[in-house]
Amino acid sequence: MRRWMTAALAAFLCAAPASARLPKIGDVAPDFTFTLMDGSKVSRDDLKGKVVLLNFWATWCVPCRAELPLIDRYYDIQKKHGLRAFAVTTEDSLPLYRMKPLFAAMAIPAVKRTKGPYSEVSAVPMNYIIDRSGRIRYAEAGAFDLDTLNKVIVPLLQEPAPAS
């Protein structure tokens, strides 16, 4: 009986869809679509040639609440150099309607819904950085500090955008 259960579990895990795998450093960023709080949509293809920071956070997460204002200020300064950032609130946070005042004060667009593999993050804060050519260059759980943001993002902003 135990062998049968082990074999069934192995078959189930092997049959899991490829989209269930979270992106890793070096991967081409998988296709995604974000619906923003204002109702507009942004897809991976809309961001070609930009450096993209995806910040997954939760209202109950103390490091997230400390990190979000830093990322917001950083984005406001670096967006003129080609940085795009998105704040993705996890489902176990406060309802989105209760966070509207926060979102209104932020420079970072807030994401209402995600479509794609990024909706499966299991730890917060979780940050992904996608380079101008569309590859994942950073994928880690844990809050950013200013030194790490500069160490990771500034070199990517200095890289030229790929030819169309």
Side-chain angles (χ1 to χ4, degrees):
M1 180 73 149
R2 181 171 275 165
R3 269 191 222 150
W4 177 84
M5 289 174 63
T6 303
L9 179 60
F12 173 75
L13 293 174
C14 290
S19 65
R21 186 179 72 85
L22 288 173
K24 293 188 177 23
I25 294 172
D27 289 353
V28 171
D31 195 17
F32 63 87
T33 302
F34 292 152
T35 302
L36 306 180
M37 287 301 293
D38 66 5
S40 63
K41 293 187 180 201
V42 176
S43 72
R44 176 197 63 189
D45 294 342
D46 297 331
L47 301 168
K48 284 186 180 181
K50 303 289 185 189
V51 174
V52 180
L53 167 59
L54 307 178
N55 173 250
F56 293 84
W57 70 287
T59 56
W60 52 263
C61 169
V62 174
C64 298
R65 292 192 314 249
E67 174 189 53
L68 190 59
L70 170 67
I71 292 174
D72 191 59
R73 286 189 307 272
Y74 194 83
Y75 168 68
D76 201 33
I77 293 166
Q78 295 290 8
K79 64 184 174 187
K80 65 185 171 216
H81 300 292
L83 179 65
R84 294 291 309 268
F86 298 92
V88 185
T89 312
T90 60
E91 291 181 8
D92 53 348
S93 292
L94 291 173
L96 293 176
Y97 74 88
R98 292 195 48 202
M99 292 188 284
K100 280 187 179 182
L102 169 67
F103 295 151
M106 290 179 6
I108 298 174
V111 175
K112 187 177 186 178
R113 277 188 302 281
T114 63
K115 181 179 177 188
Y118 299 100
S119 60
E120 301 170 13
V121 295
S122 60
V124 290
M126 180 69 193
N127 292 289
Y128 290 96
I129 298 176
I130 303 168
D131 69 13
R132 294 181 188 274
S133 66
R135 291 210 172 267
I136 304 287
R137 297 285 287 271
Y138 183 95
E140 288 190 26
F144 273 121
D145 59 28
L146 183 58
D147 289 339
T148 305
L149 280 169
N150 282 326
K151 181 181 171 186
V152 175
I153 292 178
V154 169
L156 297 177
L157 291 172
Q158 294 172 343
E159 291 178 357
S164 308

